[in-house]
Amino acid sequence: MFKSVFVPCLLAIVGLVSCSGPQNYDSADLAPLPKSTLGGNANYRIQIGDLIDMFVLEDNSFNGSYIIRPSGDIIVPKLGRVGIQGLTLSEAEARIKSTLQANHLKLATVIVDPGMRGETAAGGLTLRLSGETMQSGRVTVRPLGDAPVSAYQAVIDAGGFKPFAGKKKAYILRNSPSGVQRINVNFEAVETGRASDPVVQEGDCIVVPKKMFGL
């Protein structure tokens, strides 16, 4: 009896699957991928010099790759400037969406996907090194995959430290709308895992002074 009931049910299920055919989806049904799959870093924030890929499902004329300009924005044809520096991917999607819906589209489904951080026309992130580093002046550091470029990585990729480098007293100089920021860095602590390695941005200057003996 069990067999006589089970077989017709199984055939009915197979028939439903085989007859369902390809599915059609509206753009509203296509949700952005989870951010854990985009860039591999849930803490990813957009910085100057970053490359992002933008997709608008309702109007592909807005689609494209955009570099974050020194002013912290991207310039989108027909849309103009949209400031997204410092935002997460979700926040950038929301800001671009609200701008599109205010000026061009009744409904906008926006997907922002990070390209390689620091991908510029020179092929990397342009920084300046000063003081007790093997190279000084302007250097270009290539990012490793989607990971951000860090201060320690930048120095090591440029040849490392000189023998009498004052690693504990290093700092980053960064231009900002409010003026020049100084960010202290203890590279000795970074090397031993006692401190985090700060992320650098396009145009930063990393200064490593000479070690002061006896202090």
Side-chain angles (χ1 to χ4, degrees), residues 48 66-75 80-85:
I48 292 172
Y66 300 91
I67 291 178
I68 313 307
R69 299 163 59 85
S71 50
D73 53 39
I74 57 176
I75 298 180
R81 293 181 183 271
V82 184
I84 57 174
Q85 178 192 4

Side-chain angles (χ1 to χ4, degrees), residues 41-192:
N41 185 353
N43 297 320
Y44 175 88
R45 286 186 177 273
I46 297 168
Q47 301 296 337
I48 292 172
D50 284 3
L51 179 73
I52 65 162
D53 297 324
M54 186 179 79
F55 305 91
V56 180
L57 301 185
E58 290 78 10
D59 187 342
N60 61 16
S61 67
F62 293 103
N63 295 357
S65 297
Y66 300 91
I67 291 178
I68 313 307
R69 299 163 59 85
S71 50
D73 53 39
I74 57 176
I75 298 180
V76 182
K78 300 192 299 182
L79 189 61
R81 293 181 183 271
V82 184
I84 57 174
Q85 178 192 4
L87 302 184
T88 64
L89 296 174
S90 295
E91 291 168 344
E93 288 172 349
R95 179 166 296 180
I96 296 169
K97 175 179 179 176
S98 63
T99 306
L100 281 168
Q101 291 183 167
N103 298 282
H104 293 279
L105 301 174
K106 184 177 180 180
L107 174 66
T109 307
V110 179
I111 300 174
V112 173
D113 188 6
M116 289 182 65
R117 182 180 285 271
E119 182 74 6
T120 64
L125 199 66
T126 301
L127 309 168
R128 288 175 175 80
L129 301 182
S130 177
E132 298 301 295
T133 54
M134 297 304 293
Q135 288 192 49
S136 61
R138 184 177 298 179
V139 298
T140 299
V141 183
R142 294 181 180 277
L144 300 175
D146 291 324
V149 175
S150 67
Y152 186 75
Q153 175 200 338
V155 175
I156 296 302
D157 284 2
F161 300 92
K162 290 183 178 180
F164 300 111
K167 297 180 183 179
K168 292 182 179 180
K169 301 293 184 179
Y171 54 92
I172 299 168
L173 296 178
R174 176 174 299 163
N175 290 318
S176 70
S178 59
V180 178
Q181 294 179 312
R182 174 174 169 147
I183 304 167
N184 294 326
V185 184
N186 183 341
F187 282 122
E188 282 194 10
V190 172
E191 286 178 328
T192 57

